[in-house]
Amino acid sequence: MKSSLNPINWDRVDADGFERLLARLLEQSHTYLRITRLMHVNAADAGRDIEAYRRVGDGLTTERHERVIVQAKHRPTHGITASDISELVCAKLPLWEGEPIRGLIYATTGSFTQEAVRWVDAHNYAAKRPDITLWSSHELEALVRKWPLLVVEFGLSDTVR
């Protein structure tokens, strides 16, 4: 059976649009607050495209806010490597000021190499900070589809004009 959903066309958004889309996804989740785009696209941002605070609670009375950084890479045809991620975490993370960073979301319109996924799995398994979440084009497509108006807002489908 063929899916009735049109594929997401990442070429219809540029690097700036991709960062804006990620910020809107965080906003739509209602889990993140104080969402801030930190630098202009392609600026020397030391891997910090978006900063947000994730609500973490026990479902009863306790809630805390954890600082999360989003690294956006608009590369539909390129894979993100283990060295891309390790450089960000090991070389650039120490440069980041302010509250401790508890989470890192590495988002790409492309994919992650197997080595990159293994590196992140080992990092997270060892309970190192920050906890890293990978969003490839496949995960992003599933997230965007939760809020169909985002597909329209960012013109991500060839049938949307």
Side-chain angles (χ1 to χ4, degrees), residues 55-151:
R55 291 183 180 137
V56 179
D58 63 8
L60 300 172
T61 59
T62 304
E63 180 178 284
R64 69 181 184 282
H65 300 157
E66 295 181 341
R67 186 177 178 207
V68 175
I69 298 294
V70 178
Q71 171 64 27
K73 289 293 181 191
H74 181 42
R75 295 182 182 169
T77 59
H78 293 85
I80 302 299
T81 66
S83 61
D84 293 331
I85 298 170
S86 66
E87 177 187 352
L88 177 64
V89 172
C90 300
K92 295 179 180 176
L93 177 74
L95 304 176
W96 299 341
E97 298 172 350
E99 295 177 46
I101 297 161
R102 301 293 182 202
L104 170 65
I105 298 170
Y106 205 119
T108 181
T109 52
S111 60
F112 296 94
T113 64
Q114 289 181 356
E115 293 79 17
V117 172
R118 282 195 291 270
W119 191 92
V120 168
D121 286 346
H123 172 89
N124 288 343
Y125 183 78
K128 295 180 180 177
R129 293 286 186 197
D131 186 65
I132 304 170
T133 302
L134 301 178
W135 289 351
S136 71
S137 61
H138 297 293
E139 285 86 10
L140 284 168
E141 184 165 343
L143 291 172
V144 168
R145 292 209 183 277
K146 288 182 179 183
W147 297 282
L149 289 178
L150 291 179
V151 175

Side-chain angles (χ1 to χ4, degrees), residues 15-81:
D16 180 65
F18 182 54
E19 287 184 19
R20 288 186 296 108
L21 172 64
L22 292 172
R24 291 280 288 127
L25 278 170
L26 296 178
E27 180 183 285
Q28 291 295 310
S29 76
H30 299 290
T31 301
Y32 294 87
L33 47 106
R34 294 188 296 178
I35 302 161
T36 307
R37 287 184 62 203
L38 296 172
M39 298 290 230
H40 296 291
V41 173
N42 299 324
D45 58 16
R48 301 176 303 173
D49 294 315
I50 300 169
E51 177 181 80
Y53 288 82
R54 177 176 47 210
R55 291 183 180 137
V56 179
D58 63 8
L60 300 172
T61 59
T62 304
E63 180 178 284
R64 69 181 184 282
H65 300 157
E66 295 181 341
R67 186 177 178 207
V68 175
I69 298 294
V70 178
Q71 171 64 27
K73 289 293 181 191
H74 181 42
R75 295 182 182 169
T77 59
H78 293 85
I80 302 299
T81 66

